[in-house]
Amino acid sequence: MDIKEILDEIASESSTNQKMIILEKHKENELLKKVLYKAKSPRIKFYIKQVPEHNIILTKEEDQYTLEQILVNIEAFSNREITGNAARDYLKSLLEKTSEDNNYILQRIIEKDLKFGMGRSNINKVIPNLIEQTAYMGAKSYSEKLARKIFEEDGIGYSQVKMDGRYCNAILQEDGEVELVSRQGETTYVGNAPFLKELGLIRNMVLNSELTVDGYDRFTANGLIASIVDIEGKKSRGERTQEETEKKIASFEKKHAPYQETINKIRCTAWDCITLEEYFEKKAETPYKERLSTLKSLLLDNKSPEAMLSIVETIEVKSFKEAMEHFQNTLERELEGTILKSTTGVWKDGKPSFQVKLKLEINIDLRIIGFKYGEKGTKNEHVISTINLESSCGKLKTSPSGMKEIMMKDVTDRQEELLGTIAEIRCCGLSQNSKGDWSTLHPSVVKLRDDKNTCDSLESAKEIEEAAKTLT
């Protein structure tokens, strides 16, 4: 099969699993791997905003360039050997001197969208390490020893609000192009959100940031953004017709709020910045104090009253006690917690010990009232991946996942037996939506409690949460 036929076969399948099975059959195809890399690698840019119009389309017999030759020729764009009008003219020449199938693939590569419904993470699952993994610097879980150690070097640390929004890396190219990328390396589509214009004023940088929605709690905001990313992503990739997209938007507005108005309220809050080169190398030796100063200058230079691009709340703390006071303050404001950071910390992929999470975590027991199989087309579609739970009073309901494979299989096999029994969960506190319904933040199943037959009520869960908030 030629490359176009393989891409068409993958595109014809709606199931992610089936797409991966098809790719598995062709994963040794070196030409296919080159096409996938050039089209999906965030490191490769062609600096051509629009494919030029061209009228000549050749048959395979008339083909003057093979696909292999095309892949070599377009390196002139990514290497900046040919730019501006000369680049557009050269691309037009390539498009008019290759066959219809190669013409299509060339356009898809230049536009960085193969339109076959597979993201970077799923491609890498089939062909490991083909496309650069997204670098992510997190933080260690709370440890008093680690937290105190941060003050040993210069007696100062930074305490920053843990926002718990939708994480994204804002990749800002030298030509003003902006791409938002998730932790999994997938493009995050947010339509024409105003903050994108603000990001477009910054060049050759990557901002570590989170997306929230002004006027909404973080739990609700994450749901709104997820819906927008789905709608805008499938529209951009051509996976829905205009009529289908309009129906999705109408459904969003019926359930939530005006669609464009919600997009306009999406805020991007950054806490770190590194250069493009450092991002792709997955390390930066510049101390955090200097990176934070750079971030402030980048964002404050473009600051306006209507700005939707912000810097995370940051407090300079001089002791473990001051760090804990800021943490307690965030809990009183019903935020998740803080991240305590060293002023001298470098940037590295992973969870370094010089960044420590201070966040609320509680364990509560709830009764099992139902089960849900994994999403169709995923590896968990035939096993229970989510358990529906509620409190003894029925006022608190949640649906945690996060079970290991052995537990999912056990739950699937024993659904009837487990219905009505108790499960222990861990979460980051309680949440209440605009309708007054109570749930939990980031719940995950700890274990099935076959040793007890009573569970927490909403009131006892509140008491557990309050007690945890007062601990220092």
Side-chain angles (χ1 to χ4, degrees):
M1 296 177 71
D2 64 27
I3 303 303
K4 176 67 162 49
E5 289 174 327
I6 296 172
L7 297 179
D8 286 345
E9 184 181 2
I10 294 173
S12 69
E13 286 288 347
S14 58
S15 164
T16 301
N17 273 355
Q18 288 302 313
K19 290 177 184 291
M20 293 172 70
I21 288 171
I22 294 169
L23 182 57
E24 179 75 30
K25 292 190 303 183
H26 303 282
K27 70 177 185 178
E28 302 303 326
N29 186 317
E30 294 300 321
L31 181 57
L32 174 63
K33 287 194 280 189
K34 290 177 182 177
V35 169
L36 292 173
Y37 180 75
K38 288 190 179 294
K40 304 298 285 187
S41 169
R43 193 164 195 162
I44 294 183
K45 296 293 178 184
F46 298 105
Y47 308 102
I48 298 175
K49 293 187 179 297
Q50 188 172 2
V51 173
E53 292 185 9
H54 53 286
N55 301 317
I56 303 171
I57 298 180
L58 305 181
T59 64
K60 286 185 178 181
E61 291 72 24
E62 300 171 314
D63 209 343
Q64 297 180 41
Y65 290 107
T66 65
L67 185 53
E68 290 91 337
Q69 291 171 323
I70 288 172
L71 295 181
V72 173
N73 290 342
I74 61 177
E75 289 179 4
F77 306 140
S78 56
N79 295 336
R80 305 293 276 167
E81 295 171 18
I82 306 177
T83 61
N85 291 333
R88 287 190 292 273
D89 291 343
Y90 184 48
L91 175 57
K92 183 174 184 292
S93 173
L94 291 176
L95 289 165
E96 291 180 341
K97 292 179 180 179
T98 190
S99 66
E100 184 175 2
D101 284 357
N102 288 346
N103 182 298
Y104 174 83
I105 293 170
L106 174 54
Q107 290 188 64
R108 298 277 62 78
I109 291 174
I110 295 296
E111 293 180 356
K112 304 290 287 183
D113 185 1
L114 292 175
K115 295 189 181 298
F116 69 156
M118 288 193 76
R120 295 165 187 158
S121 58
N122 284 329
I123 292 172
N124 278 339
K125 287 177 184 177
V126 179
I127 311 174
N129 302 315
L130 176 66
I131 300 163
E132 296 90 347
Q133 298 284 347
T134 301
Y136 172 78
M137 183 163 74
K140 290 285 189 182
S141 296
Y142 175 72
S143 155
E144 182 174 337
K145 180 180 179 181
L146 289 178
R148 289 186 181 277
K149 189 175 181 180
I150 284 175
F151 299 97
E152 290 179 1
E153 188 166 349
D154 60 3
I156 297 173
Y158 291 127
S159 180
Q160 296 180 333
V161 167
K162 189 176 187 303
M163 299 185 60
D164 196 30
R166 185 184 181 101
Y167 177 86
C168 77
N169 287 321
I171 302 176
L172 313 175
Q173 300 287 344
E174 63 180 66
D175 63 348
E177 182 183 345
V178 176
E179 183 183 13
L180 305 182
V181 177
S182 71
R183 281 181 62 174
Q184 291 73 38
E186 306 301 343
T187 302
T188 297
Y189 296 91
V190 290
N192 59 351
F195 75 85
L196 294 173
K197 288 186 178 179
E198 298 172 56
L199 286 172
L201 299 175
I202 304 171
R203 300 288 193 272
N204 291 318
M205 298 295 289
V206 175
L207 271 55
N208 302 145
S209 62
E210 292 195 14
L211 304 182
T212 55
V213 183
D214 284 2
Y216 292 90
D217 63 81
R218 61 190 187 273
F219 182 76
T220 305
N222 285 342
L224 293 173
I225 294 171
S227 295
I228 290 168
V229 170
D230 174 71
I231 292 170
E232 294 298 320
K234 288 181 177 175
K235 179 173 72 173
S236 176
R237 295 189 296 269
E239 295 174 12
R240 284 194 182 120
T241 64
Q242 182 175 344
E243 183 180 0
E244 289 171 336
T245 298
E246 289 172 355
K247 286 182 178 179
K248 285 289 182 181
I249 292 174
S251 175
F252 178 97
E253 294 188 329
K254 184 177 180 180
K255 186 176 181 181
H256 303 295
Y259 185 69
Q260 185 59 50
E261 181 181 303
T262 306
I263 288 178
N264 293 343
K265 290 181 178 179
I266 298 177
R267 179 172 296 280
C268 179
T269 303
W271 62 83
D272 209 337
C273 65
I274 53 178
T275 66
L276 280 172
E277 183 179 355
E278 290 168 335
Y279 174 72
F280 290 120
E281 293 298 326
K282 300 185 179 182
K283 62 181 179 180
E285 299 298 329
T286 307
Y288 184 54
K289 184 176 184 178
E290 294 180 28
R291 300 200 310 274
L292 184 60
S293 177
T294 299
L295 181 65
K296 288 178 179 178
S297 65
L298 288 171
L299 270 59
L300 293 178
D301 284 349
N302 304 317
K303 193 71 174 175
S304 72
E306 297 79 27
M308 297 302 289
L309 178 58
S310 309
I311 299 176
V312 72
E313 177 185 312
T314 303
I315 304 294
E316 188 176 282
V317 289
K318 298 180 180 179
S319 67
F320 175 73
K321 181 175 181 293
E322 288 185 10
M324 293 306 296
E325 287 173 351
H326 186 225
F327 168 63
Q328 291 289 350
N329 176 263
T330 62
L331 295 185
E332 289 169 5
R333 288 184 280 157
E334 299 187 349
L335 300 173
E336 187 185 353
T338 56
I339 304 289
L340 180 60
K341 299 180 179 180
S342 165
T343 62
T344 60
V346 298
W347 198 101
K348 60 190 294 186
D349 190 24
K351 295 183 178 181
S353 59
F354 49 77
Q355 297 196 158
V356 182
K357 284 186 287 189
L358 281 68
K359 71 174 185 177
L360 180 69
E361 279 194 347
I362 62 174
N363 285 32
I364 55 177
D365 296 326
L366 299 171
R367 192 173 302 281
I368 299 175
I369 60 171
F371 308 93
K372 183 180 179 182
Y373 281 89
E375 186 178 343
K376 189 175 181 181
T378 68
K379 67 176 184 178
N380 294 331
E381 66 174 316
H382 300 302
V383 293
I384 298 296
S385 63
T386 302
I387 302 178
N388 298 325
L389 305 170
E390 72 174 17
S391 59
S392 60
C393 59
K395 295 178 181 178
L396 170 64
K397 297 180 186 293
T398 188
S399 299
S401 51
M403 294 183 285
K404 294 183 178 179
E405 287 188 13
I406 190 169
M407 182 182 282
M408 287 192 287
K409 185 179 185 307
D410 178 46
V411 171
T412 303
D413 294 341
R414 297 197 296 135
Q415 293 178 62
E416 186 174 343
E417 176 187 342
L418 292 173
L419 194 64
T421 62
I422 310 301
E424 179 183 347
I425 69 165
R426 179 176 294 119
C427 64
C428 296
L430 308 182
S431 66
Q432 188 177 29
N433 64 20
S434 58
K435 296 179 182 178
D437 300 324
W438 285 90
S439 187
T440 60
L441 294 168
H442 302 304
S444 60
V445 180
V446 176
K447 60 183 175 181
L448 304 175
R449 297 297 303 266
D450 56 3
D451 59 331
K452 64 185 301 185
N453 55 21
T454 60
C455 66
D456 287 299
S457 64
L458 173 61
E459 290 307 310
S460 66
K462 287 181 179 179
E463 290 172 3
I464 292 170
E465 179 183 44
E466 194 58 35
K469 286 181 177 180
T470 62
L471 295 176
T472 59

